[in-house]
Amino acid sequence: METALPGQKTALVVSAHAADFVWRCGGAIALHRRLGYDVTVACLSFGERGESAKLWKQQGMTLERVKADRRREAEAAARVLDVHDIRFFDLGDYPLDFGAETRDRMVDLIRAVQPTFMMSHSLWDPYNTDHMNTTRFVLECRMIAQAWGHNPGQKVLGAPQLYLFEPHQTEQMGWKPDVFLDITEVWDKKRAAIECMEGQEHLWHFYTNVAENRANHFQRNSGGQAGGRAAKYAEAFQSMFPRTVDEL
Ligand SMILES: [Zn+2]
């Protein structure tokens, strides 16, 4: 795999299941694409067992058909969001099955992408251990990608921020947003990507509502009653690492 060109702005999103990146950071993907970033998405599984209930209710459904359907949906959503590259690791879900070989694949991908920033799930998710295990896995791979002694000669990773995207029930996950991103100008793309997820129609309204609420928080935190900047749709993230700044 080709290593990103010097100076190219890039991002890497790691999604436990095929649809997660759409609900949680579809706006960030489309927006950064528009800002000139090459955004790569890695789906560790298709969510074939745990997040495809509607498909399993159809008669005669098989695991292979569910996987193929979910892959088609994720690829369609990625096209709508203008994703640069989407990778399917096909690890199986509920539970995800990590291993040394998968770790090497992910480290290679991180080093090739050389992300300006990364995104993944909340650190804690008692409802869905696939999500939190993905983030632990991402942190581990990020660390290995930074090690000069791992595959010497490859370009070593710097220190990209890892943004944790919004879980389904934020209060239960110990997740607390510290970044609000205005996605109003790409909302139509996010909504279109959401609608590619035909197997999870019950979530379409839910995540539209989340984006509207986060837009309210965006405005309150950008000036409040003293003239906060309005946003109609936003996404929220928790940053894993401190920021280094020259001015507050
Ligand atoms: Zn998921």
Side-chain angles (χ1 to χ4, degrees):
M1 175 178 183
E2 299 277 306
T3 303
L5 295 170
Q8 174 59 41
K9 293 186 287 187
T10 56
L12 177 63
V13 176
V14 184
S15 180
H17 311 108
D20 293 331
F21 72 95
V22 178
W23 321 113
R24 275 75 188 250
C25 63
I29 292 171
L31 188 72
H32 284 81
R33 186 67 197 115
R34 199 169 273 193
L35 293 170
Y37 285 69
D38 281 349
V39 183
T40 297
V41 174
C43 294
L44 300 188
S45 75
F46 299 102
E48 61 267 32
R49 293 202 293 197
E51 297 184 2
S52 305
K54 193 174 163 191
L55 289 170
W56 283 113
K57 286 173 189 165
Q58 294 173 22
Q59 280 223 319
M61 191 48 76
T62 65
L63 193 66
E64 288 313 310
R65 274 183 60 198
V66 173
K67 283 167 70 170
D69 271 20
R70 298 312 318 257
R71 181 182 181 124
R72 213 168 20 249
E73 288 178 1
E75 286 173 337
R79 265 194 303 279
V80 169
L81 297 172
D82 208 8
V83 165
H84 170 70
D85 190 9
I86 185 163
R87 302 292 181 101
F88 296 99
F89 278 57
D90 195 10
L91 303 182
D93 68 328
Y94 287 65
L96 283 172
D97 192 3
F98 301 94
E101 190 198 329
T102 307
R103 203 167 55 209
D104 284 345
R105 278 172 73 192
M106 181 57 74
V107 173
D108 284 348
L109 181 63
I110 292 172
R111 282 192 165 179
V113 171
Q114 291 287 325
T116 310
F117 67 87
M118 302 171 71
M119 301 189 125
S120 200
H121 297 263
S122 53
L123 275 177
W124 173 245
D125 187 342
Y127 299 93
N128 195 320
T129 56
D130 281 358
H131 291 162
M132 64 189 214
N133 290 340
T134 292
T135 305
R136 288 191 72 88
F137 171 73
V138 167
L139 284 169
E140 190 174 56
C141 294
R142 180 185 180 277
M143 174 189 78
I144 297 167
Q146 291 175 321
W148 285 81
H150 176 82
N151 291 342
Q154 277 184 353
K155 189 175 178 196
V156 171
L157 182 71
Q161 181 60 266
L162 174 64
Y163 292 106
L164 310 181
F165 38 64
E166 179 143 17
H168 192 87
Q169 296 185 57
T170 56
E171 297 89 340
Q172 312 304 328
M173 314 296 184
W175 176 91
K176 194 170 171 182
D178 55 18
V179 178
F180 294 94
L181 180 69
D182 182 356
I183 60 162
T184 308
E185 68 171 87
V186 292
W187 171 253
D188 55 335
K189 283 180 181 251
K190 177 162 181 177
R191 177 68 197 203
I194 283 175
E195 291 183 12
C196 291
M197 297 300 155
E198 292 168 20
Q200 292 166 294
E201 200 176 338
H202 60 291
L203 293 176
W204 295 4
H205 173 71
F206 180 87
Y207 280 102
T208 300
N209 188 243
V210 168
E212 288 167 346
N213 283 322
R214 291 308 182 193
N216 175 286
H217 301 164
F218 179 98
Q219 183 163 3
R220 290 187 75 93
N221 286 286
S222 69
Q225 298 300 316
R229 208 188 94 199
K232 281 175 78 177
Y233 300 97
E235 283 173 345
F237 304 100
Q238 179 180 334
S239 39
M240 189 76 236
F241 301 100
R243 285 165 184 253
T244 52
V245 299
D246 292 310
E247 190 172 343
L248 293 177

